[in-house]
């Protein structure tokens, strides 16, 4: 068996036989989770949490039971977006943890729900952070969830590896922004998923443009998009191009993400429902 230090995660060229074993963590008794979708990017600040929140809220409005596992342990923003800052996750003597439920019925688990003060920093090394993410899967009582969205931290390190290896991920959505420098970072995320044999549902570009309030013209503040080229190179669909919007920003800051319609994500939501 390959050790953590020697494993390249390229099972096709490895004789260790690890791929024959099921390394996935088990849900707690009484939990049920249908589809697991990871929201990833190789770079921070591109809008993974926004996309995660919008998709969970949109599918919840369509009558599906949704959940968000906030895997960004050191920089969680899901509680703010859903307006549940200051809430605490409850537990019982058996060690079970119960998620916080948003006003729209989305089940949420985030590190901030476990801290005494939500501004307390989490000063943990990578393996400990990865272990906490795994516990969010194994120790939380997820109530009959149809779609769980995992809001990943940026990069291709310990947490994405833990999620890909420990959770039954049905697919990932890669989030990008239009800048040319992001292309290489996005390609890293795509290649990681391919190496780990995780299906890629498609790409979403955030901050794609700004709609002029006077003439209605699309203004590309960060230059022309690179998303179509990346999609073509890897044979992936572009699920959405989300504009920069004061309304989106205000809704997240005020915890009103569930009030947004976000029609830009209709196609992405419809595709997820077919999984």
């Amino acid at each position: 068996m390959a050790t953590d230090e020697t494993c390249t995660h390229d099972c096709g060229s490895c004789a260790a036989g690890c791929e024959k074993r099921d390394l996935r963590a088990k849900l707690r008794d009484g939990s049920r989770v249908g589809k697991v979708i990871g929201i990833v990017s190789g770079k921070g600040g591109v809008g993974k949490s926004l996309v995660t929140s919008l998709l969970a809220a949109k599918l919840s409005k369509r009558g599906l039971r949704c959940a968000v596992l906030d895997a960004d342990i050191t920089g969680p923003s899901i509680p703010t977006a859903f307006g549940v800052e200051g809430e605490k996750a409850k537990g019982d003597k058996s060690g079970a943890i119960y998620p916080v439920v948003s006003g729209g019925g989305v089940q949420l688990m985030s590190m901030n729900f476990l801290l005494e003060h939500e501004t307390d920093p989490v000063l943990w090394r990578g393996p400990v952070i990865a272990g906490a993410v795994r516990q969010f899967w194994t120790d939380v009582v997820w109530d009959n969830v149809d779609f769980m969205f995992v809001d990943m931290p940026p990069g291709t390190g310990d947490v994405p590896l833990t999620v890909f290896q420990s959770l039954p991920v049905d697919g990932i959505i890669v989030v990008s922004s239009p800048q040319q420098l992001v292309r290489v970072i996005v390609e890293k995320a795509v290649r990681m998923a391919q190496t780990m044999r995780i299906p890629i549902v498609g790409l979403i570009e955030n901050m794609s443009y700004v709609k002029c309030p006077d003439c209605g013209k699309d203004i590309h503040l960060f230059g022309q998009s690179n998303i179509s080229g990346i999609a073509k190179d890897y044979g992936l669909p572009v699920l959405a191009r989300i504009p920069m919007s004061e309304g989106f920003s205000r809704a997240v800051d005020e915890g009103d993400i569930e009030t947004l319609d976000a029609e830009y994500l209709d196609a992405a939501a419809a595709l997820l429902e077919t999984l």
Side-chain angles (χ1 to χ4, degrees), residues 149-202:
F149 295 93
V150 182
D151 185 16
M152 298 277 206
T156 55
D158 289 319
V159 170
L161 280 174
T162 295
V163 171
F164 288 167
Q165 292 178 328
S166 301
L167 275 60
V169 180
D170 295 283
I172 67 166
I173 291 174
V174 180
V175 182
S176 73
S177 58
Q179 298 96 319
Q180 178 63 34
L181 64 88
V182 175
R183 179 184 176 99
V184 174
I185 304 300
V186 170
E187 289 182 342
K188 286 181 182 291
V190 170
R191 288 178 179 269
M192 179 185 185
Q194 291 174 335
T195 299
M196 301 292 292
R197 299 182 180 181
I198 303 296
I200 303 172
V201 179

Side-chain angles (χ1 to χ4, degrees), residues 19-110:
E19 74 277 9
K20 297 179 182 178
R21 298 186 299 115
D22 189 353
L23 302 176
R24 293 178 298 183
K26 296 185 181 299
L27 283 169
R28 190 172 187 85
D29 288 344
S31 293
R32 187 196 76 85
V33 175
K35 300 297 182 182
V36 178
I37 306 297
I39 310 298
V40 309
S41 178
K43 184 180 184 300
V46 298
K48 293 182 298 297
S49 297
L50 174 68
V51 170
T52 300
S53 303
L54 289 174
L55 283 173
K58 181 170 282 291
L59 287 180
S60 180
K61 291 176 183 176
R62 294 188 178 202
L64 296 166
R65 295 177 64 88
C66 294
V68 174
L69 190 160
D70 189 354
D72 196 348
I73 300 297
T74 60
S77 54
I78 293 299
T80 299
F82 281 91
V84 290
E85 289 179 296
E87 296 283 342
K88 301 298 180 187
K90 295 180 172 59
D92 60 27
K93 294 181 179 179
S94 72
I97 302 172
Y98 295 89
V100 171
V101 180
S102 74
V106 178
Q107 299 172 48
L108 309 170
M109 189 62 218
S110 175

Side-chain angles (χ1 to χ4, degrees), residues 16 23 43 109 120-121 129 156 239 241 246 270:
L23 302 176
K43 184 180 184 300
M109 189 62 218
D120 290 344
I129 292 175
T156 55
L239 303 178
R241 290 182 172 88
E246 180 186 359

